[in-house]
Amino acid sequence: MPQHILPVSTYLLIFAALLALLLATVGAQYIELGPYNILLALTIAIFKAVLVVLYFMHVRFSSRLTWIFASAAFLWLGILLTFVMADYLMR
Amino acid sequence: MADTLVAHQFDDMDQQRDAASLGMWIFLATEVMFFGGLFAAYAVYRWSYPAAFAEASHQLNALLGAANTAVLLTSSLCMALAVHAAQTGSRRRLMLFLALTMILGSLFLVIKGYEWSHEIHLGLLPGATFTYVSPSPAFSATQVEMYFMLYFLMTGVHGFHMIIGLCLLMYLMVQAFRKRFTPDYFAPVEVIGLYWHFVDVVWIFLFPLLYLIGSK
Amino acid sequence: MQSVSPTAELPRTGRVLNYLNNGYTARSWLLSTDHKRVAILYLISVTLFFFAGGAAAVLFRLELMTPPGDLVQPETYNKLFTLHGIIMVFFFLIPSIPAVLGNFLVPLMIGARDLAFPRLNLLSWYVFIAGGTLTMYAALAGGVDTGWTFYTPYSSMFAKTHVTAAALGVFISGFSSILTGLNFIVTIHTMRAPGLHWFRLPLFIWSIYATSLIMVLGTPVIAVTILLVGIERIWRIGIFDPSLGGDPILFQHLFWFYSHPAVYIMILPGMGVISELITCFSRKRIFGYSFVAFASIAIAVLGFLVWGHHMFVSGQSMYAGMVFSFLSFFVAVPSAVKVFNWTATLYRGSILLQTPMLYAMGFIGLFTLGGLTGLFLATLAVDVHVHDTYFVVAHFHYIMVGGMVMAYLGGIHFWWPKMTGRMYPEWWGRLSALIIFVGFNLTFFPQFILGYVGMPRRYYAYPDEFQVLNVMSSAGASILGAGYLIPLGYLLWSLKYGKLVGENPWGASGLEWQTSSPPPTENFSTTPQVTQPAYTYPHTEELLLG
């Protein structure tokens, strides 16, 4: 399926980015944002996850079908979390 | 001859590879939803008991958690390089990177196991052995117990998936050793690689959510 | 296994080689990765479960003949309706059409030799049997009394029955569902015959595809939920228990996140069957093919957004209730679209009232009634009154029994000649369909009234004034039961004495009708090339009437 072979340098670059984001994750703890700390932490986590999915899991170079299924999984997770939390937030 | 590796229901290698890949992605979607149920429970209780969760989170060793995250990210790199080695037909490098992935994965589990034993020793395992007493009127021990229930469960289920991943990697090692993979046929490496990266992605979310609640 | 042409003969007897006579040993059946054999294995299993679940119903309908609880103990009564629900939902309704008809037909309908992952398919049957065995063990060891919905904290903290075993059985069988769905999605995407693009697929395939999407996205959530209940139960750790800081409503959210889409897992394949039956027995193309196809996908997607309508009176936020109510009205639309399209297909068609068509027409009427009553339940204010009453019971039985089971029986009759090479006796088929239709309505229509006037569900005793309706319902149940037993009899009879049929006894459209009955193990001697739309009616082929 990946008729496309990513060069090793790309993997190393992505890895470096991931480590940098890990440092950011730890560093973000020291920024006082009150209830928005979690938002920052999750945003950084999402960036990391996206890099892993797009490059390590080759989704960037895969068929549209793969892309659809990968997105659908997270979309459905979003439905579960959103609607459940909506109940609690609206009580 | 690669054609002999095509199963009878498929017309050609391409169809087989597409099917294997799509099959793994669908399986990963089911895994996202499986972990998703736990994340939903986490979201509800963290929202309900913010003080308890923050305090409980501080009981964990964030440094070890961060180190473990780095270990897993590195193992993902090695896995990606293993797939690359398979794509370029380098059996030696394939086995090297599979071995490195397994070593790092095992290291993750060792660190996790150490953390767990320490936390259990502190009386933080929910159930009969839970001994935490809340120092503050802002939250109760029961709420902290709820946090640790989620902590042990989520890291436990994650660890279980890692163990399965290690078994799958071992299988790949054996197959690679038997010279089963060529640049035309390496779908198992690719597909198990997807699984490994997924387990890494789960941890990418677990780390901040479990270890880094509340600012310092 | 080598490819054989449909006319290849067995060496000694000279009979034609097909998937049924290609090996007679138990091993050749129990280790077969042939999708058709796996389908037959499922057929036998779900039939057994259906009658087991039905037996439980017979017992509690007997109890409900009289107002006081006088036949069984109250605890026993609870176990009876629980077992009925668990077996019927998880071990009959969810697997039935996908695992029996889907497994048999999907590769045939798309011109493939087998599913994408044949060994995974066989594994799914073993997993199903493992789950079912564990659940039956729970039933025989003393039963479960939580209701099929396992609500916490009763199920996790207080019930003294075999909850863990039953829940584990359901957990395991969920993986069977996931594997089946995964197999179907991959097969349909990657193994269609040349020329068979999406909009030439039979609508049964669209339905199975939509069903599979729900199976893979929803089932894992109930799996993890059952795991949490098990943990709470075994280790007494609070997750859903309020006294330990837990929230029972969280359980309901997680449970219904799957269990509502699960009802679409149950009905969508039935709808797919109906599309096939209506077109064949009206000798007409489906009206609005793409609307029906997209409606299947719409039901699958929208079905995930409405689960809170089971929780209107549980303590869920009122605003969340309003959102779920609004969305529940939406999900009725694609179902209605299908009903309109089937009706329009019937209009000016050449109607043939063979047994499968009787079931199909019964489906359309009864499903519509069941669906409409769903709208009453989706209306917040009405639901406050009828929640947890027999109104709900009647609603879902209209859809599941009046709809799904009739679609299943219609499908079994329609594809019986394909699966077995033999035709069932047509007059017995029609008679049973009629008996089932009458029995069904007598059983469940009174329950709408009972619910409306206030009889709660899951109660083993009731006020005297409800007796007449209950007796009607129980009488209906006995007729319904008889109606189900008759096909069991004549279908088995037909295996030996039924009239032998050729490739296409119904003169139907579809690739499955272009190979022998029964098909050879490899399905087709050469891969079909498809150049025509899904429904090529009217045909010039003769219809073989019994």
Side-chain angles (χ1 to χ4, degrees):
Chain A
M1 190 212 31
Q3 290 81 7
H4 181 266
I5 301 180
L6 275 176
V8 173
S9 54
T10 307
Y11 289 126
L12 292 172
L13 199 64
I14 298 296
F15 177 65
L18 286 168
L19 285 180
L21 286 169
L22 175 58
L23 284 171
T25 304
V26 177
Q29 260 208 304
Y30 297 93
I31 305 173
E32 181 62 59
L33 284 173
Y36 296 104
N37 267 101
I38 180 172
L39 214 58
L40 179 59
L42 279 176
T43 308
I44 300 174
I46 289 173
F47 262 104
K48 280 191 231 153
V50 165
L51 283 176
V52 171
V53 169
L54 286 180
Y55 289 95
F56 284 174
M57 296 172 87
H58 289 129
V59 169
R60 184 140 189 291
F61 308 99
S62 295
S63 65
R64 190 126 151 283
L65 189 62
T66 305
W67 188 92
I68 290 174
F69 272 94
S71 319
F74 289 101
L75 180 65
W76 250 255
L77 176 62
I79 293 173
L80 174 62
L81 292 172
T82 310
F83 278 69
V84 169
M85 283 315 293
D87 173 30
Y88 287 88
L89 291 168
M90 292 199 283
R91 284 204 200 155
Chain B
M1 190 62 212
D3 282 340
T4 55
L5 292 163
V6 179
H8 80 100
Q9 67 272 18
F10 293 116
D11 294 330
D12 54 50
M13 188 60 86
D14 276 340
Q15 193 185 52
Q16 178 169 290
R17 194 176 45 222
D18 284 345
S21 177
L22 181 59
M24 178 50 79
W25 273 106
I26 295 171
F27 175 69
L28 293 180
T30 69
E31 292 278 56
V32 168
M33 295 313 291
F34 186 80
F35 277 97
L38 294 174
F39 279 103
Y42 170 91
V44 166
Y45 290 125
R46 175 164 169 173
W47 180 82
S48 304
Y49 309 132
F53 270 49
E55 178 58 34
S57 173
H58 291 149
Q59 304 285 322
L60 299 182
N61 189 332
L63 199 62
L64 279 181
N68 245 355
T69 311
V71 164
L72 263 194
L73 288 174
T74 314
S75 80
S76 254
L77 171 68
C78 292
M79 188 69 228
L81 291 173
V83 175
H84 183 268
Q87 281 177 306
T88 51
S90 169
R91 178 168 156 259
R92 198 148 279 176
R93 270 192 295 130
L94 168 61
M95 291 178 66
L96 169 68
F97 284 118
L98 283 175
L100 280 175
T101 310
M102 288 174 70
I103 290 170
L104 289 166
S106 307
L107 178 60
F108 176 93
L109 287 173
V110 165
I111 296 176
K112 196 88 217 75
Y114 167 75
E115 282 183 87
W116 268 24
S117 67
H118 180 66
E119 283 137 13
I120 293 171
H121 178 71
L122 286 177
L124 295 172
L125 182 70
T129 57
F130 191 75
T131 57
Y132 181 87
V133 174
S134 170
S136 153
F139 57 89
S140 73
T142 314
Q143 295 168 353
V144 169
E145 189 173 8
M146 183 66 79
Y147 168 88
F148 278 103
M149 191 281 303
L150 285 164
Y151 166 78
F152 279 105
L153 193 56
M154 292 171 93
T155 56
V157 173
H158 177 263
F160 175 71
H161 281 82
M162 288 229 31
I163 293 172
I164 292 180
L166 287 174
C167 295
L168 292 172
L169 287 170
M170 184 52 116
Y171 163 79
L172 284 182
M173 271 295 251
V174 169
Q175 295 294 85
F177 181 72
R178 289 183 186 163
K179 301 192 176 133
R180 289 291 167 81
F181 301 124
T182 68
D184 288 317
Y185 174 72
F186 60 91
V189 183
E190 206 176 1
V191 148
I192 289 172
L194 287 176
Y195 175 83
W196 189 262
H197 294 305
F198 167 76
V199 180
D200 184 21
V201 169
V202 174
W203 182 260
I204 285 173
F205 286 99
L206 284 182
F207 172 57
L209 289 175
L210 290 173
Y211 287 80
L212 307 177
I213 302 178
S215 47
K216 288 226 168 77
Chain C
M1 243 169 266
Q2 334 93 304
S3 246
V4 290
S5 78
T7 53
E9 290 181 352
L10 284 170
R12 269 175 289 146
T13 61
R15 275 181 23 247
V16 174
L17 198 62
N18 59 58
Y19 84 98
L20 283 174
N21 56 30
N22 194 356
Y24 285 111
T25 60
R27 205 163 164 221
S28 72
W29 274 92
L30 292 173
L31 291 179
S32 172
T33 56
D34 178 2
H35 67 100
K36 300 181 288 301
R37 287 199 166 192
V38 174
I40 301 297
L41 290 174
Y42 267 109
L43 173 63
I44 298 169
S45 325
V46 303
T47 306
L48 289 169
F49 282 119
F50 178 74
F51 284 105
V58 165
L59 286 171
F60 66 68
R61 277 293 357 143
L62 270 173
E63 168 63 78
L64 289 171
M65 296 263 279
T66 57
D70 45 13
L71 184 67
V72 295
Q73 294 299 311
E75 293 80 14
T76 310
Y77 185 83
N78 294 346
K79 291 174 187 176
L80 287 171
F81 69 69
T82 300
L83 229 47
H84 172 75
I86 293 176
I87 294 175
M88 287 308 203
V89 168
F90 295 110
F91 297 98
F92 176 70
L93 287 167
I94 285 176
S96 58
I97 294 183
V100 177
L101 294 174
N103 264 327
F104 196 93
L105 294 167
V106 168
L108 283 167
M109 283 182 168
I110 66 172
R113 282 184 289 285
D114 207 308
L115 290 173
F117 307 118
R119 287 175 299 183
L120 222 56
N121 198 19
L122 181 65
L123 177 67
S124 81
W125 181 74
Y126 277 104
V127 169
F128 175 70
I129 292 299
T133 306
L134 196 50
T135 307
M136 291 315 287
Y137 159 75
L140 294 167
V144 193
D145 63 347
T146 58
W148 79 274
T149 49
F150 289 113
Y151 270 22
T152 58
Y154 182 67
S155 63
S156 57
M157 282 297 193
F158 303 104
K160 293 189 176 46
T161 52
H162 298 262
V163 176
T164 309
L168 193 59
V170 172
F171 177 85
I172 292 170
S173 75
F175 287 100
S176 169
S177 210
I178 289 173
L179 291 175
T180 301
L182 190 155
N183 226 335
F184 286 153
I185 296 175
V186 177
T187 305
I188 295 170
H189 270 289
T190 60
M191 294 170 71
R192 298 188 308 278
L196 189 53
H197 61 74
W198 282 87
F199 290 96
R200 284 184 178 160
L201 285 168
L203 288 166
F204 179 72
I205 299 289
W206 277 93
S207 300
I208 290 287
Y209 183 82
T211 304
S212 302
L213 289 176
I214 307 176
M215 279 172 160
V216 304
L217 290 169
T219 316
V221 177
I222 198 178
V224 78
T225 310
I226 290 175
L227 191 68
L228 290 172
V229 170
I231 289 173
E232 180 158 279
R233 200 172 159 76
I234 296 173
W235 284 292
R236 302 272 151 211
I237 299 173
I239 305 167
F240 304 120
D241 183 355
S243 65
L244 294 169
D247 188 0
I249 300 182
L250 176 62
F251 170 82
Q252 293 185 26
H253 274 300
L254 294 176
F255 177 83
W256 287 113
F257 181 85
Y258 164 73
S259 297
H260 187 81
V263 314
Y264 298 112
I265 292 177
M266 298 184 237
I267 199 63
L268 269 170
M271 291 172 152
V273 169
I274 298 305
S275 292
E276 302 302 318
L277 301 183
I278 294 285
T279 47
C280 178
F281 294 102
S282 324
R283 314 316 267 171
K284 202 163 161 253
R285 286 191 184 150
I286 192 85
F287 182 88
Y289 174 96
S290 46
F291 276 87
V292 181
F294 286 129
S296 298
I297 305 296
I299 291 171
V301 173
L302 289 172
F304 273 98
L305 305 177
V306 299
W307 79 82
H309 65 225
H310 298 269
M311 298 162 58
F312 284 153
V313 298
S314 299
Q316 181 179 249
S317 112
M318 183 177 72
Y319 303 104
M322 284 157 66
V323 170
F324 280 120
S325 171
F326 180 74
L327 289 168
S328 301
F329 273 79
F330 253 104
V331 79
V333 172
S335 296
V337 164
K338 289 195 176 200
V339 172
F340 297 148
N341 284 8
W342 291 322
T343 312
T345 307
L346 288 171
Y347 179 66
R348 299 193 115 188
S350 305
I351 308 291
L352 298 151
L353 291 172
Q354 310 306 104
T355 304
M357 184 58 149
L358 294 180
Y359 282 116
M361 292 173 87
F363 176 101
I364 295 178
L366 299 176
F367 169 77
T368 303
L369 247 160
L372 285 174
T373 53
L375 289 173
F376 300 155
L377 291 165
T379 310
L380 284 162
V382 175
D383 189 64
V384 169
H385 292 284
V386 293
H387 175 77
D388 260 357
T389 68
Y390 264 86
F391 193 89
V392 181
V393 176
H395 156 73
F396 66 71
H397 281 94
Y398 259 78
I399 304 196
M400 289 304 146
V401 183
M404 222 310 283
V405 178
M406 293 192 84
Y408 176 72
L409 288 172
I412 290 289
H413 282 78
F414 184 58
W415 281 293
W416 189 257
K418 177 55 58 184
M419 295 196 292
T420 62
R422 298 203 180 248
M423 187 55 88
Y424 60 86
E426 182 59 41
W427 282 103
W428 280 101
R430 286 179 176 146
L431 180 67
S432 317
L434 199 61
I435 293 175
I436 287 172
F437 184 82
V438 168
F440 170 82
N441 280 295
L442 189 58
T443 309
F444 292 107
F445 196 84
Q447 293 185 7
F448 276 125
I449 305 172
L450 275 170
Y452 183 72
V453 297
M455 179 171 171
R457 64 187 285 198
R458 297 176 169 172
Y459 274 41
Y460 83 137
Y462 52 81
D464 289 337
E465 56 261 35
F466 293 158
Q467 184 171 22
V468 173
L469 290 167
N470 268 296
V471 169
M472 281 173 72
S473 183
S474 296
S478 61
I479 299 173
L480 188 59
Y484 287 137
L485 285 169
I486 302 175
L488 188 64
Y490 66 71
L491 287 175
L492 284 172
W493 174 92
S494 76
L495 289 176
K496 196 147 192 243
Y497 301 107
K499 186 168 161 184
L500 288 167
V501 295
E503 285 188 356
N504 195 352
W506 302 116
S509 247
L511 289 176
E512 76 271 27
W513 301 108
Q514 289 170 32
T515 187
S516 62
S517 308
T521 302
E522 293 282 307
N523 294 341
F524 300 97
S525 48
T526 55
T527 306
Q529 312 272 338
V530 177
T531 53
Q532 298 191 297
Y535 303 103
T536 54
Y537 302 106
H539 284 165
T540 49
E541 285 155 43
E542 297 275 308
L543 170 66
L544 255 182
L545 288 168

